[in-house]
Amino acid sequence: LILRPVDADGREAQAGTTSAKVYLTNLFNLALPLINYELTDELQLVDEPCPYGSGYRLAADVQGRSDDSFHFAGGRVVHPFVFRGPLGRDRHILEFQVRQLESGAEVLFRASGRADTDRLAAEIGEHLAAAGVADAEITFRSVDRIPAGPGGKVKRFVPLPESD
């Protein structure tokens, strides 16, 4: 298996920089070899040897799927961790889906008790402001079921469609 972190244009990302995506090549599966299969995970490689003697390159950080990032006015890009962190720490939130809005985001959620949505909105708003998205409107809507996408899988982060 070969993982090749690359920038947005498909050029090799240098060690110490975060890639825009990863190309995966797997020639061991004879029925379906994968060559430069694109994964939208962001990855950062370390340019140091493994302290345990492995000859493989070390990954410093895996940021998750870049296609889940929200793109706001002024070129502000917000990673889903801004939402995932606070929502994941609330013990009452069982499941969520964050939908980007022009002015912020709507959070659909299922809960096992009373989630402190005011606190969550304030915390997420602070993180968005730190990322350059000031005065973001964060709304919460309790639902019985998070809607699944066309393939039956729930998409946790739903960015606005790209405009041409």
Side-chain angles (χ1 to χ4, degrees):
L1 179 73
I2 300 167
L3 292 177
R4 199 163 52 96
V6 297
D7 65 15
D9 297 320
R11 293 183 301 256
E12 185 173 344
Q14 298 303 309
T17 63
T18 302
S19 69
K21 53 191 169 187
V22 177
Y23 290 154
L24 175 144
T25 298
N26 176 1
L27 300 175
F28 292 105
N29 183 341
L30 299 178
L32 181 65
L34 299 173
I35 301 172
N36 285 340
Y37 182 80
E38 183 178 305
L39 303 173
T40 57
D41 291 302
E42 297 173 337
L43 176 69
Q44 187 179 102
L45 292 179
V46 176
D47 198 18
E48 299 172 10
C50 173
Y52 304 107
S54 172
Y56 296 109
R57 297 199 56 197
L58 298 176
D61 196 18
V62 178
Q63 290 291 320
R65 299 176 61 101
S66 61
D67 59 352
D68 287 341
S69 295
F70 290 173
H71 297 262
F72 287 96
R76 304 292 183 199
V77 178
V78 176
H79 196 278
F81 285 158
V82 165
F83 300 94
R84 185 179 290 136
L87 293 169
R89 286 190 297 272
D90 189 299
R91 67 185 178 101
H92 296 294
I93 302 281
L94 299 173
E95 186 179 26
F96 65 87
Q97 181 181 65
V98 182
R99 297 177 176 188
Q100 183 182 1
L101 306 172
E102 291 287 339
S103 60
E106 176 187 38
V107 180
L108 306 182
F109 71 98
R110 289 188 329 106
S112 64
R114 188 182 179 291
D116 189 349
T117 57
D118 291 337
R119 179 190 56 77
L120 288 168
E123 184 177 352
I124 291 168
E126 288 173 14
H127 291 307
L128 287 171
V133 182
D135 302 319
E137 181 181 336
I138 309 301
T139 60
F140 284 82
R141 182 163 44 111
S142 178
V143 296
D144 293 328
R145 191 173 140 275
I146 304 292
K153 184 175 179 182
V154 172
K155 186 165 174 60
R156 296 284 164 225
F157 302 94
V158 183
L160 288 173
E162 291 186 33
S163 57
D164 294 329

